[in-house]
């Protein structure tokens, strides 16, 4: 039987609020067994970028990463946020180790090919080095990833945190029974967007298709759910979507996805 | 017989110059066997700090670390410099892993007690977790430390990079035959400060005392040498002082210190 592994991804809604982040980290630190944390950015990067006079370039509503904005990402995601999360987890008795994909050569990526848009220094995950990550897990460490990868040729690349979490979960599933948690601001996938309590507690492939057909899964939820089912098809055991409370053992009011 | 370990510390003179840093990293990556890199800050932190409107407070010529300047250190040392060094080492085939003392709980420190001066968020090293660092070395990784530690209670602390290197060397010497390299701008400890070629190639305890008595070791060299002999007295095999070139195998024109 494979050992269990929990991979938890948090985004801006938690990172932007010190109190909410502390609350989350307390819950995260209590997860038993092997665990990995993946964190995105948040408004701090925008704030620091503005102060430094770095202007986020947008094309067709998509953010472009140039050298200056990558430097801000490295400073804020890889430095400020990552190290503070690690120090706080250490205080909670969780032996965290902060990393980008360059550290221990854990995640390599390719610069996204230039199509209609040149996204700049953005990377699409190429390979997760699961054996390197296993060394950390087996030593009792909790790898804590920021949303940066590298191309193996000395270039760091900005990479979507949701994707990093999914790719980590897929790669680690060869050795571990992996559950992937996406923590966001809502209690789960909602049947009705206006009703916070209309959480769909379980979605399998069949239900997913019908929800798509009925237009219940739409907008921002579309790529997220696509990512989730992609991970499930690649041997990830289950994916859970909800807010920080889903990490509380007694709580079951969140969305669980299985094939 | 103990396995060999090289611990190399670099400072601002290398970090401030991209070309010099690349040259150093090439030489460093060629060191055979177990190795650890420790890097200090450099003018980038001052530059970013100024742009962010963070004013470095000085008291009696000593820098005070407040919350804002610590954040800059975390961003620049822990983020920008550390991750770029790691990515560049990876490209050179050296499996580097960037860390602060909080990562893997590798280095704990105590906030420096308030005496005549309150240095603020500055830490004096309390404990190096050598077994945690050994896990990384035994996995073929090259720990790459920035000059940050933590107090185990969630607080990161600014810590002198020379001291971190010395404390790492002392702690690792129980398991490894450790050589500590201090890379700086000169070829070594000079007999005459004005003569770049007056390198003292070997200094032992006896010679050290006579050099002190003759006033040849003075000013900034005093605490550095004190640190070195402290490390040697704590079982570090040897300490080498020179510029990047001392890492070239055929070069012997640098200073070697032994007891």
């Amino acid at each position: 039987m494979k050992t269990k592994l929990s991979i938890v991804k948090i985004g801006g809604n938690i990172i932007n609020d010190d109190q909410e982040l502390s609350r989350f980290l307390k819950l995260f630190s209590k997860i038993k067994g092997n665990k990995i944390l993946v964190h995105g950015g948040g408004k701090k990067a925008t704030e620091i970028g503005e102060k430094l006079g770095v202007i986020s370039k947008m094309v067709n509503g998509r953010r472009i990463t140039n050298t200056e904005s990558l430097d801000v990402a490295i400073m804020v995601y890889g430095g400020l946020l990552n190290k503070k999360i690690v120090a706080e987890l250490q205080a909670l008795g969780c032996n965290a180790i902060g990393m980008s994909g360059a550290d221990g050569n854990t995640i390599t990526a390719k610069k996204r090919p230039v199509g209609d848009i040149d996204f700049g220094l953005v990377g699409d995950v190429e390979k997760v080095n699961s054996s390197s990550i296993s060394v950390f897990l087996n030593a009792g460490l909790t790898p804590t990833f920021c949303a940066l990868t590298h191309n193996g040729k000395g270039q760091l690349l900005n990479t979507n945190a949701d994707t990093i979490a999914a790719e980590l979960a897929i790669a680690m599933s060869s050795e571990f029974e992996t559950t992937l948690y996406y923590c966001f601001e809502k209690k789960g996938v909602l049947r009705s967007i206006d009703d916070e309590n209309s959480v769909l507690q379980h979605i399998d492939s069949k239900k997913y298709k019908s929800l798509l057909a009925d237009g219940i899964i739409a907008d921002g939820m579309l790529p997220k759910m696509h990512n989730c089912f992609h991970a499930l098809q690649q041997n990830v055991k289950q994916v859970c979507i909800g807010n920080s409370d889903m990490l509380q053992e007694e709580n079951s009011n969140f969305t669980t996805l299985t094939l």
Side-chain angles (χ1 to χ4, degrees), chain A residues 74-85:
Chain A
I74 300 171
M75 286 196 285
V76 179
Y77 307 166
L80 200 57
L81 296 174
N82 193 261
K83 297 301 160 204
K84 285 197 171 182
I85 288 172

Side-chain angles (χ1 to χ4, degrees), chain A residues 156-177:
Chain A
L156 290 158
L157 294 164
N158 220 340
T159 301
N160 181 277
D162 279 3
T163 312
I164 287 183
E167 294 293 340
L168 280 170
I170 292 166
M172 300 314 290
S173 288
S174 60
E175 198 179 330
F176 295 90
E177 186 190 298

Side-chain angles (χ1 to χ4, degrees), chain A residues 59-87:
Chain A
V59 173
N60 298 348
R62 306 288 296 266
R63 192 184 299 272
I64 309 302
T65 304
N66 59 16
T67 312
E68 291 73 28
S69 52
L70 181 67
D71 277 359
V72 172
I74 300 171
M75 286 196 285
V76 179
Y77 307 166
L80 200 57
L81 296 174
N82 193 261
K83 297 301 160 204
K84 285 197 171 182
I85 288 172
V86 166

Side-chain angles (χ1 to χ4, degrees), chain A residues 44-58:
Chain A
K44 192 81 186 170
T46 316
E47 195 186 305
I48 299 275
E50 277 171 7
K51 279 191 187 169
L52 293 174
V54 175
I55 293 141
S56 287
K57 205 178 148 194
M58 307 288 281

Side-chain angles (χ1 to χ4, degrees), chain A residues 5-10 31 38 165 179-183 238-242 246-247 254:
Chain A
L5 168 65
S6 305
I7 300 182
V8 185
K9 187 260 165 178
I10 52 169
I31 297 176
V38 181
T179 300
L180 173 58
Y181 296 89
Y182 281 114
C183 269
Q238 59 178 351
V239 182
C240 300
I241 300 182
M246 80 174 145
L247 300 183
F254 55 86

Side-chain angles (χ1 to χ4, degrees), chain A residues 148-212:
Chain A
L148 293 166
T149 57
H150 78 136
N151 71 352
K153 292 165 191 157
Q155 181 63 59
L156 290 158
L157 294 164
N158 220 340
T159 301
N160 181 277
D162 279 3
T163 312
I164 287 183
E167 294 293 340
L168 280 170
I170 292 166
M172 300 314 290
S173 288
S174 60
E175 198 179 330
F176 295 90
E177 186 190 298
T178 307
T179 300
L180 173 58
Y181 296 89
Y182 281 114
C183 269
F184 76 148
E185 64 280 11
K186 301 197 182 293
K187 285 183 182 167
V189 181
L190 305 178
R191 171 166 291 282
S192 161
I193 191 84
D194 304 320
D195 180 2
E196 273 294 336
N197 292 314
S198 65
V199 174
L200 293 157
Q201 298 214 352
H202 185 227
I203 304 175
D204 59 13
S205 308
K206 203 179 143 195
K207 179 106 179 190
Y208 175 45
K209 273 182 201 153
S210 78
L211 289 168
L212 279 177

